[in-house]
């Protein structure tokens, strides 16, 4: 079976793993509105990478990578809030914040490549 090009991207692999870890961290969260928002932000990161790469144009790819990067910023914010209001384990959340920030840097580099800068 042929794989999609985005499946070879480390940023997509790591973003997918991050999303799984977010779902696990919030598995027992009873604040369903918050849980929905944070999981949607996390899920948006690898999903937009995949969608942009499937568009098969550098301009479209960059546009969707920007969406992914925006979702990464949203996720970091939500994780800090989750720590502050005691929804999640601080150590686990801080590790996911660090991973999200690294992904954001990777996305910025990929955006530069797609835009030819």
């Amino acid at each position: 079976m042929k794989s999609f090009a985005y499946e070879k991207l480390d940023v997509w692999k790591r973003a997918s793993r991050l999303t799984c870890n977010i779902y696990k961290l919030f598995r027992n969260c009873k604040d369903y509105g918050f849980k929905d928002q944070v999981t949607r932000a996390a899920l948006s990161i690898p999903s937009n990478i995949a969608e942009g790469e499937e568009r098969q144009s550098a301009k479209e790819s960059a546009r969707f990578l920007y969406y992914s990067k925006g979702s990464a910023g949203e996720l970091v914010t939500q994780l800090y809030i989750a720590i502050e209001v005691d929804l999640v384990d601080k150590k686990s959340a801080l590790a996911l914040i660090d991973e999200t920030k690294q992904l954001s840097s990777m996305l910025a580099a990929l955006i530069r490549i797609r835009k030819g800068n």
Side-chain angles (χ1 to χ4, degrees):
M1 184 161 81
K2 185 177 184 254
S3 65
F4 292 104
Y6 62 83
E7 292 177 304
K8 297 175 185 161
L9 294 173
D10 285 337
V11 69
W12 178 82
K13 291 175 189 175
R14 286 176 63 177
S16 295
R17 195 171 321 115
L18 170 71
T19 301
C20 294
N21 289 333
I22 290 292
Y23 269 84
K24 289 174 186 175
L25 182 65
F26 284 86
R27 179 180 290 143
N28 297 320
C29 179
K30 300 292 186 219
D31 185 334
Y32 299 109
F34 192 92
K35 179 180 180 177
D36 181 61
Q37 188 70 26
V38 75
T39 54
R40 283 175 182 262
L43 189 58
S44 179
I45 299 169
S47 298
N48 278 305
I49 294 167
E51 185 170 353
E53 292 305 299
E54 282 298 294
R55 300 277 176 138
Q56 298 179 336
S57 102
K59 183 178 179 181
E60 284 289 291
S61 174
R63 183 165 67 98
F64 280 88
L65 291 170
Y66 276 120
Y67 296 154
S68 291
K69 194 167 178 348
S71 293
E74 183 180 358
L75 180 58
V76 167
T77 300
Q78 292 163 348
L79 286 169
Y80 278 128
I81 292 167
I83 291 168
E84 193 64 32
V85 299
D86 294 321
L87 286 178
V88 295
D89 172 66
K90 183 176 182 176
K91 183 178 178 183
S92 299
L94 287 173
L96 293 175
I97 287 169
D98 182 59
E99 175 66 4
T100 306
K101 288 180 177 181
Q102 288 179 39
L103 287 170
S104 185
S105 294
M106 292 172 76
L107 288 165
L110 193 52
I111 289 166
R112 284 191 298 276
I113 291 167
R114 296 293 186 262
K115 291 180 80 178
N117 295 342

